[in-house]
């Protein structure tokens, strides 16, 4: 089940808007703090928090949807 989630997560990441995907990658793959992401992207810190929150919600829903679709098959 963990392998399935990771595979779906990779697919869902590709569906994010480019800037949202970049922020997620900077936060979770490169371990940058939100303030550093804001500085690098030229955003306000609050914008980074909002973008990451929305991206996490979208990814969570996308992975859940894909797992549910597989369960039906």
């Amino acid at each position: 089940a963990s392998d399935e989630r990771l595979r779906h997560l990779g697919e869902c990441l590709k569906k994010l808007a480019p800037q949202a995907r970049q922020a997620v990658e900077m936060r979770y793959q490169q371990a940058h703090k939100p303030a550093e992401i804001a500085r690098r992207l030229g955003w306000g810190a609050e914008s980074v928090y909002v973008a990451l929150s929305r991206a996490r919600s979208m990814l969570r829903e996308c992975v859940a949807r894909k797992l549910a679709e597989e369960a039906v098959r």
Side-chain angles (χ1 to χ4, degrees):
S2 180
D3 290 341
E4 303 256 333
R5 283 183 185 274
L6 284 175
R7 181 171 54 84
H8 292 315
L9 179 59
E11 295 168 5
C12 293
L13 274 167
K14 293 176 186 174
K15 294 180 179 181
L16 285 178
Q19 286 187 320
R21 185 171 52 248
Q22 185 178 16
V24 167
E25 288 172 353
M26 290 175 79
R27 181 70 183 113
Y28 297 105
Q29 291 177 346
Q30 301 168 16
H32 291 297
K33 302 275 188 225
E36 176 65 12
I37 296 168
R39 187 185 68 73
R40 288 178 179 230
L41 296 180
W43 296 359
E46 187 64 28
S47 296
V48 173
Y49 286 107
V50 170
L52 290 173
S53 177
R54 288 180 180 163
R56 284 190 301 266
S57 292
M58 183 271 182
L59 292 169
R60 189 171 30 254
E61 291 169 8
C62 179
V63 170
R65 187 172 49 254
K66 287 183 176 290
L67 288 172
E69 288 170 1
E70 278 191 355
V72 171
R73 294 181 195 164

